[in-house]
Amino acid sequence: MTEPAFKAPRYIVVEGPIRVGKSTLAKALAEQLHARRIFDCEDNPFLADFYNEKPGAAFRAQMYFLHERHRRLSEARPQVDATPIVSDFLFEKDKIFAYVNLDNEELKLYEKYFDMFAPSVPAPDLVIYLHAKPEVLRKRVSKKGDPAEKQISPEYLEAVASAYGHFFFRYSASNLLVVDTTEIDFVERNQDLQELLRRLRKPVKGTQYFLPLGQS
């Protein structure tokens, strides 16, 4: 009995902490698959106050992200035989940041809204989780030179990277490809990107790991 032909995933999510290479990979995948791309929210009006540690700003920023991410994913519900979708974010990422940024009382209220929104968000066929050591992420943030990102402390960056690791260690809602980007750089080295794109032409079942060769 022959195995069924490999069907490429129609709804792919690329995830990981800041400066890990999400946008570069999502853009390349969308171009390769002729897919519709869903961008994460980058115009949160409460983010500046959050970075400046104003009281209550973390909760306001998180609730804005929750509503906006739910809206974008709900409007882009994938259809069978329709245009593939590549998203820059997983809906559950919102809770990763909520657990890092909110206090216990804020979390209780946040979780009520999250639990109300979550059932209407479709699960992806494949999640690609990119991770790297915090010191590598710090170097990339510094190299990027984004004024807003300069306000991110090393401690916060490490907390976010750790929270991502804990979340995806237990993740089982979709097929998951875990990619270590510590020794590779999709932005600076196209051969690293092409190596991962070749891997994605093969099936991913359950949770699998991909360790690109990087530079020798």
Side-chain angles (χ1 to χ4, degrees):
M1 184 176 179
T2 58
E3 293 186 5
F6 167 56
K7 286 188 176 181
R10 307 292 294 174
Y11 178 20
I12 300 173
V13 168
V14 182
E15 258 299 355
I18 188 170
R19 293 293 148 239
V20 80
K22 290 192 302 290
S23 296
T24 300
L25 178 58
K27 180 176 183 289
L29 278 174
E31 289 174 352
Q32 185 180 74
L33 300 173
H34 305 290
R36 176 182 177 185
R37 189 169 166 202
I38 308 174
F39 292 87
D40 199 2
C41 173
E42 294 183 347
D43 57 355
N44 189 324
F46 304 105
L47 211 51
D49 285 348
F50 166 69
Y51 284 137
N52 290 321
E53 300 182 355
K54 290 190 178 180
F59 183 72
R60 292 192 291 271
Q62 203 62 59
M63 293 303 292
Y64 186 91
F65 273 133
L66 179 67
H67 176 269
E68 187 64 18
R69 286 166 175 157
H70 176 264
R71 182 187 68 79
R72 294 182 187 207
L73 292 176
S74 297
E75 290 177 356
R77 182 173 292 274
Q79 303 293 328
V80 177
D81 297 327
T83 303
I85 292 174
V86 174
S87 174
D88 287 13
F89 65 99
L90 186 69
F91 183 65
E92 289 91 335
K93 89 172 285 179
D94 205 85
K95 187 178 277 191
I96 295 175
F97 282 87
Y99 272 84
V100 172
N101 296 324
L102 304 184
D103 64 32
N104 288 340
E105 292 304 310
E106 290 170 336
L107 267 175
K108 289 178 184 177
L109 180 57
Y110 169 88
E111 287 187 323
K112 290 180 180 179
Y113 282 92
F114 182 92
D115 291 344
M116 182 171 65
F117 286 152
S120 62
V121 177
D125 300 317
L126 172 65
V127 176
I128 305 168
Y129 164 47
L130 308 176
H131 72 98
K133 294 178 180 178
E135 56 267 29
V136 173
L137 298 176
R138 287 198 298 271
K139 288 179 182 177
R140 293 177 185 172
V141 167
S142 178
K143 188 173 184 179
K144 179 72 174 180
D146 188 312
E149 292 176 5
K150 285 183 178 179
Q151 301 179 65
I152 301 174
S153 70
E155 294 78 14
Y156 180 73
L157 195 60
E158 187 163 346
V160 169
S162 176
Y164 263 102
H166 285 299
F167 174 81
F168 279 109
F169 182 76
R170 300 186 301 271
Y171 183 78
S172 60
S174 307
N175 293 320
L176 174 67
L177 184 66
V178 181
V179 183
D180 187 349
T181 74
T182 297
E183 301 294 335
I184 65 173
D185 192 332
F186 298 137
V187 179
E188 298 294 333
R189 294 193 295 274
N190 183 257
Q191 63 265 36
D192 292 342
L193 177 61
Q194 295 306 317
E195 189 178 351
L196 178 55
L197 292 176
R198 283 192 293 273
R199 170 61 186 89
L200 292 171
R201 296 188 189 110
K202 303 174 185 176
V204 176
K205 296 293 183 183
T207 297
Q208 296 186 336
Y209 296 83
F210 182 58
L211 301 173
L213 295 175
Q215 287 186 326
S216 57

